[in-house]
Amino acid sequence: MGEIMRAENNQKQGRSVGKAILYWVIEIAVAVCIALLIIQVIRPTVVRETSMLPNFQDGNYLFVYRLAYKGDKTPQKGDVIIFKSKLTTDNGKPKMLIKRVIGLPGDHITIQDNKVWINGKEDKQTYTHDGKTNGTILNYTVPKNHYFCMGDNRLVSIDSRYASVGAVAKNKIVGKVVFRLYPFREIGTIKNPYKSN
């Protein structure tokens, strides 16, 4: 009788351990699915340059919303984007750049005497590093499905003003920078200087 009871207890313990393992496997599977879903929507990135000073510093930890421009959604003037450029890294892969959208498809861009005009109207550069934009571009028309992008630190930024980068095709945009996690004193959403918040 005692042996039968021990056998039944062992079976119950076996079922309990089996249930615990099953729940554990399910929890891990759910966590992995959630992580994969987040990775498809949000991409973390770290700034590794000074071309976006004073608004983004080297070492800033940012979140990029990858679905921001899917389908009919398009970048807006002032959005900060991450995109695959024509420049390459040391291992031959497209270099990812962080820049601000300045011109939309069809816009006419003129840069002269340290000033920027968009469609004949001077673009106020109060958010830039020193309020000046070097280089000369005369009445450049942004192509369809492309965006004219520049860094906020215009004197050092390699961006759409240069043939090595040029206007950014929509299909090269990885996503929109939406949130800064680090440094913690600057944690929060990213503001668009062209929109009243």
Side-chain angles (χ1 to χ4, degrees):
M1 188 72 174
E3 290 180 2
I4 293 172
M5 290 182 68
R6 279 196 294 273
E8 287 178 354
N9 286 337
N10 288 341
Q11 286 179 345
K12 287 179 182 178
Q13 287 176 349
R15 284 195 294 269
S16 295
V17 170
K19 284 182 180 179
I21 291 173
L22 179 61
Y23 288 137
W24 185 71
V25 169
I26 290 171
E27 286 182 9
I28 289 176
V30 169
V32 168
C33 289
I34 290 171
L36 290 173
L37 182 62
I38 290 172
I39 289 171
Q40 293 301 312
V41 176
I42 300 293
R43 175 187 177 139
T45 191
V46 179
V47 176
R48 292 293 181 209
E49 55 186 37
T50 60
S51 71
M52 288 297 286
L53 288 173
N55 301 300
F56 300 91
Q57 295 82 31
D58 183 45
N60 279 186
Y61 193 89
L62 310 172
F63 288 143
V64 179
Y65 181 41
R66 299 179 72 164
L67 303 181
Y69 308 124
K70 295 299 180 187
D72 294 336
K73 299 174 185 174
T74 58
Q76 300 300 305
K77 183 179 176 183
D79 285 358
V80 177
I81 63 171
I82 302 287
F83 61 93
K84 296 177 184 176
S85 72
K86 293 184 271 188
L87 303 173
T88 55
T89 61
D90 292 338
N91 60 8
K93 293 183 179 180
K95 187 174 183 181
M96 306 290 270
L97 297 180
I98 175 173
K99 304 295 175 188
R100 190 179 301 277
V101 175
I102 302 301
L104 305 177
D107 281 351
H108 302 289
I109 310 287
T110 292
I111 299 173
Q112 195 171 28
D113 300 325
N114 291 317
K115 296 181 179 179
V116 178
W117 285 269
I118 301 174
N119 300 324
K121 183 179 179 182
E122 185 178 349
D123 188 56
K124 301 303 179 186
Q125 305 175 76
T126 55
Y127 61 87
T128 63
H129 189 257
D130 53 16
K132 296 178 181 178
T133 300
N134 56 331
T136 301
I137 294 176
L138 301 176
N139 202 32
Y140 171 79
T141 302
V142 183
K144 183 179 180 181
N145 294 322
H146 285 69
Y147 299 86
F148 194 90
C149 303
M150 290 193 284
D152 294 347
N153 189 3
R154 303 280 170 80
L155 299 183
V156 303
S157 178
I158 305 299
D159 49 43
S160 292
R161 292 171 289 168
Y162 298 86
S164 57
V165 176
V168 179
K170 184 184 177 188
N171 63 5
K172 297 296 182 183
I173 299 174
V174 174
K176 176 182 178 181
V177 178
V178 293
F179 193 84
R180 181 181 356 235
L181 181 63
Y182 183 85
F184 298 127
R185 68 180 181 278
E186 297 178 20
I187 192 169
T189 56
I190 305 304
K191 306 298 183 189
N192 185 328
Y194 292 99
K195 294 180 179 178
S196 55
N197 296 309

